[in-house]
Amino acid sequence: MSKGPVVIEVTRGPVVESRHEGIAAVVRPDGTVVASWGDIDTPILPRSANKPIQAMPFVESGAVEKFGLGNEHVSLACASHNGESRHVETVRAWLKKIGLSETDLECGTHPPRLQATIEALVREGALPTPAFNNCSGKHSGFLSTAVTYGEPTKGYIKYDHPVQRRLREVMTDLCGTDANAFPYGIDGCGIPTLATPVRHLARAMATMADPSRLSSKRAEAANRIRAAISAEPFMMAGTGRFCTRINGALPGVAQVKTGAEGVFCGMLPTLELGIALKIWDGAGRAAEVAMATLLGHLGVLPAAQKDELLHPPVKNVVGLLVGEMRPAKSWLG
Amino acid sequence: MSKGPVVIEVTRGPVVESRHEGIAAVVRPDGTVVASWGDIDTPILPRSANKPIQAMPFVESGAVEKFGLGNEHVSLACASHNGESRHVETVRAWLKKIGLSETDLECGTHPPRLQATIEALVREGALPTPAFNNCSGKHSGFLSTAVTYGEPTKGYIKYDHPVQRRLREVMTDLCGTDANAFPYGIDGCGIPTLATPVRHLARAMATMADPSRLSSKRAEAANRIRAAISAEPFMMAGTGRFCTRINGALPGVAQVKTGAEGVFCGMLPTLELGIALKIWDGAGRAAEVAMATLLGHLGVLPAAQKDELLHPPVKNVVGLLVGEMRPAKSWLG
């Protein structure tokens, strides 16, 4: 069933200038592999691509109801956001609701992803704060969970903190193998990122898409998270972003999430499938084309976006079209 | 003689998170391959990595003497610079010397590479101009050549303009095969970039390093260009850049030049060798580690820089060391 690798090409004129390879799995909640490319037993670091799963303990805790939170907050808990003003202001208001502030976020501070936002800050003479960190929503979810359970908030990013232990418990339940046994690295935002075989990561996504075999409380949380992503696609990414575009165009049908270093995950509730993919070299540009290609292959990519998402243009400095990205003929091109 | 591919790994904790593959050749001026990895007969687009060669007709034309130019201008003609104020001011003054201005540059305008420079512009309420384009020095060289020969300056970026024809003539002489037969794409800055087998690109670099078999005028130009890069390493790149660092640390010994999409070239005059490499996925981070590894393998990497250049740290948002890049054990690790 496993075929050759995922291959994405970058052309310039008549030449294939660059080439990305990867692995991908499309899996059912019971672990059946519907399609795969490359060795899907290879463990990968999911990075931010499993944030929807990392939001599960937050929703299960009842924090959403306790603190009067809405879809925008649940979507932010799954976000790698641009640090645009709606993201930042919502995070700040959220932290206030739970009696905390930005100084409690342990994700650190980086310049917002969107150049326009950086320039707006410079014009104001302001510096970014932790709320601008693309992970600030996820971390606000972690803090909300700790507050709800009456746990210490300090150190919530550590492997042995209850917040992180709970993530491994959920991962174990969703992917059908013991996540406590996974080696791990430290993610950009400071939390452990667990080396998960692509097969199991895709199965966890499938279980999020069709949570019928989970406990009713856990299944409800998965449904709540998918609904929030569909309702608030801007909050989980932002202006111009692939995730916002796909999730906004396919409410109820697809909820996809990018991760650093070329990872992408997707939940397809109407098809009862999960997707996980990794581009070996870590290129986000190729992970996006690969996810679009898989969505097209599974028949859910909006016709209006097909051409641009499967063949994103490569332009030069003056805006001339000089090449394109595309799935290779040897893969699904 | 050809061995397995160039492989660069990116680790996070105990896990190899990402992996880059490529091809590389180390060649003598007569075309003898001293070492190679992967299929070096594959044509690649050199992009900016052959700018030192693209500066040859400019130096051969006598424009340097005619307009009273110096090492800083010759180094800029080989540059992918940061758009820092010394780069931009030197380009502006240079264009004035040849009776032209920034409006004659056909490279287009992009924000400068260095975030601090972007922010300085925003603070001033200024916008970048063509002189900020990382290729503005190369294009000033093209314009200087056209002016010296009394050719029209408009359209100097087109395949059939004498400026571009001359580049192919020099490439043919240096790499020992007809560059007019190479397919080509359009580079970021608008000029043709010729699909050159890595073997021939490395040979052209070797001929630049040891130009003794060239005509005396052409050999002099190659020597002049290498000397200018060694004398003005800041001008060909800028603050914090790999090229500036290596060329500044190894005057007379190595002159290396980066290109977009994972290309790197190097001239090693004391060893009478040329290097060309391409990382298939286009990652600059891997091309730098690969070039450092080759310089180490050839015994010219400064001991003080070895650890950091062969094993650049991967840090998270708060600055914690979470992994490293490295040449794989299967390559030269």
Side-chain angles (χ1 to χ4, degrees), chain A residues 15-103:
Chain A
V15 181
V16 174
E17 178 171 25
S18 297
R19 194 172 181 277
H20 302 271
E21 284 196 10
I23 57 178
V26 182
V27 176
R28 289 198 210 285
D30 66 0
T32 311
V33 178
V34 171
S36 73
W37 296 269
D39 178 7
I40 60 167
D41 290 315
T42 314
I44 65 159
L45 298 178
R47 307 292 302 273
S48 288
N50 67 352
K51 276 179 176 165
I53 295 173
Q54 295 175 329
M56 288 285 281
F58 157 58
V59 176
E60 287 181 34
S61 75
V64 175
E65 295 75 19
K66 181 181 168 84
F67 296 111
L69 304 171
N71 282 332
E72 66 271 36
H73 304 94
V74 176
S75 184
L76 263 177
C78 306
S80 299
H81 65 71
N82 277 345
E84 296 177 77
S85 60
R86 193 166 164 238
H87 303 123
V88 173
E89 292 314 318
T90 307
V91 164
R92 285 176 177 158
W94 176 0
L95 290 167
K96 207 169 167 186
K97 277 174 192 275
I98 64 170
L100 298 176
S101 75
E102 287 188 70
T103 56

Side-chain angles (χ1 to χ4, degrees), chain B residues 3 8 25 27 61-62 71 96 121 132 190 194 198 239 289 307 310 312 322:
Chain B
K3 298 170 206 148
I8 305 296
V27 177
S61 74
N71 281 334
K96 206 169 170 185
L121 279 174
F132 285 85
L194 310 170
V198 163
T239 303
V289 176
D307 196 50
L310 296 182
V322 294

Side-chain angles (χ1 to χ4, degrees), chain A:
Chain A
M1 183 163 349
S2 175
K3 298 170 204 146
V6 171
V7 183
I8 305 295
E9 296 173 341
V10 186
T11 71
R12 183 169 295 262
V15 181
V16 174
E17 178 171 25
S18 297
R19 194 172 181 277
H20 302 271
E21 284 196 10
I23 57 178
V26 182
V27 176
R28 289 198 210 285
D30 66 0
T32 311
V33 178
V34 171
S36 73
W37 296 269
D39 178 7
I40 60 167
D41 290 315
T42 314
I44 65 159
L45 298 178
R47 307 292 302 273
S48 288
N50 67 352
K51 276 179 176 165
I53 295 173
Q54 295 175 329
M56 288 285 281
F58 157 58
V59 176
E60 287 181 34
S61 75
V64 175
E65 295 75 19
K66 181 181 168 84
F67 296 111
L69 304 171
N71 282 332
E72 66 271 36
H73 304 94
V74 176
S75 184
L76 263 177
C78 306
S80 299
H81 65 71
N82 277 345
E84 296 177 77
S85 60
R86 193 166 164 238
H87 303 123
V88 173
E89 292 314 318
T90 307
V91 164
R92 285 176 177 158
W94 176 0
L95 290 167
K96 207 169 167 186
K97 277 174 192 275
I98 64 170
L100 298 176
S101 75
E102 287 188 70
T103 56
D104 296 292
L105 292 171
E106 296 180 358
C107 51
T109 302
H110 63 73
R113 194 188 291 239
L114 212 62
Q115 189 60 29
T117 310
I118 297 180
E119 294 182 8
L121 279 174
V122 172
R123 258 181 234 108
E124 289 165 20
L127 290 171
T129 58
F132 284 86
N133 185 310
N134 78 88
C135 300
S136 66
K138 177 176 78 174
H139 283 246
S140 297
F142 290 157
L143 285 169
S144 301
T145 314
V147 169
T148 299
Y149 289 125
E151 292 159 1
T153 56
K154 203 168 154 60
Y156 69 87
I157 62 174
K158 300 285 180 200
Y159 187 83
D160 287 322
H161 190 281
V163 161
Q164 300 303 323
R165 283 211 309 264
R166 232 174 262 124
L167 294 187
R168 296 197 293 282
E169 192 270 311
V170 169
M171 258 314 259
T172 299
D173 192 16
L174 266 59
C175 74
T177 191
D178 183 10
N180 290 293
F182 294 162
Y184 65 96
I186 299 301
D187 210 330
C189 69
I191 71 161
T193 177
L194 310 169
T196 312
V198 163
R199 171 201 297 275
H200 291 113
L201 187 56
R203 182 180 181 183
M205 289 292 150
T207 309
M208 289 290 290
D210 169 16
S212 51
R213 71 170 180 83
L214 300 180
S215 71
S216 63
K217 186 179 163 195
R218 185 153 285 172
E220 245 172 61
N223 292 334
R224 181 84 179 77
I225 285 167
R226 292 199 327 278
I229 292 172
S230 287
E232 290 281 1
F234 177 84
M235 285 313 231
M236 69 159 337
T239 302
R241 295 277 300 283
F242 183 94
C243 288
T244 292
R245 196 163 165 186
I246 291 290
N247 296 332
L250 294 168
V253 174
Q255 295 83 39
V256 299
K257 181 65 189 76
T258 187
E261 291 291 330
V263 184
F264 234 113
C265 284
M267 303 172 266
L268 304 176
T270 56
L271 300 178
E272 300 173 3
L273 292 174
I275 299 175
L277 71 88
K278 162 81 180 179
I279 301 297
W280 279 125
D281 57 69
R285 65 179 186 181
E288 289 186 357
V289 176
M291 176 53 84
T293 303
L294 287 175
L295 294 175
H297 181 64
L298 296 169
V300 297
L301 193 65
Q305 303 196 335
K306 251 185 185 168
D307 197 50
E308 201 179 327
L309 294 179
L310 295 182
H311 300 270
V314 174
K315 294 182 177 177
N316 77 356
V317 169
V318 299
L320 189 72
L321 183 74
V322 295
E324 64 167 19
M325 297 192 61
R326 66 189 185 198
K329 285 223 164 25
S330 68
W331 187 46
L332 295 171

Side-chain angles (χ1 to χ4, degrees), chain B residues 257-281:
Chain B
K257 180 68 189 73
T258 186
E261 291 291 330
V263 184
F264 233 112
C265 284
M267 303 172 268
L268 303 177
T270 54
L271 300 178
E272 300 172 6
L273 293 174
I275 300 176
L277 70 89
K278 161 83 179 176
I279 301 297
W280 280 125
D281 58 69

Side-chain angles (χ1 to χ4, degrees), chain B residues 224-238:
Chain B
R224 181 84 178 78
I225 285 166
R226 291 199 328 279
I229 292 172
S230 287
E232 290 281 1
F234 176 84
M235 284 313 230
M236 68 157 342

